Amino acid sequence: MEPEPAAREAAMASREALGGYLADRHWMGRVLDRTYANINERAESRSYPFPTGPDGRQLRNGLQGPECMRRMRIRVKRARGSGCWTTVR
């Protein structure tokens, strides 16, 4: 689902208040854009098991930190074993 301007504005406004109105709105927009892209990338590559709702669609509203880290470690180990990983010295 594409980000909705009204929901995005409400989220930015609520975080802005929590930060004492010291936030950079341009930067907040960039972070939201990157987060949206990263979550979709994880869903499309099937590197994270998003739960599904009653309608069968994935619920992409957040990640579980430990599960995300476990899966990233697996990807790194696979990359090392395949020769794709090089060490810079």
Side-chain angles (χ1 to χ4, degrees):
M1 172 190 296
E2 289 292 320
E4 297 176 24
R8 182 182 179 121
E9 180 59 35
M12 288 172 63
S14 73
R15 294 299 171 187
E16 201 171 37
L18 287 172
Y21 300 97
L22 299 174
D24 178 351
R25 290 182 72 76
H26 176 72
W27 186 257
M28 290 170 77
R30 289 181 59 191
V31 169
L32 288 173
D33 290 340
R34 190 70 234 158
T35 301
Y36 179 76
N38 286 348
I39 285 183
N40 284 332
E41 180 182 323
R42 281 189 170 75
E44 291 165 8
S45 69
R46 298 178 190 255
S47 64
Y48 186 83
F50 287 97
T52 55
D55 62 356
R57 295 178 59 198
Q58 287 182 335
L59 302 173
R60 299 181 188 178
N61 56 352
L63 301 173
Q64 296 294 319
E67 178 64 18
C68 193
M69 292 302 293
R70 184 181 76 77
R71 289 177 175 272
M72 282 195 285
R73 282 192 294 274
I74 290 170
R75 289 179 71 187
V76 168
K77 286 180 183 178
R78 284 184 185 154
R80 284 183 181 164
S82 68
C84 295
W85 190 272
T86 59
T87 305
V88 178
R89 295 180 185 190

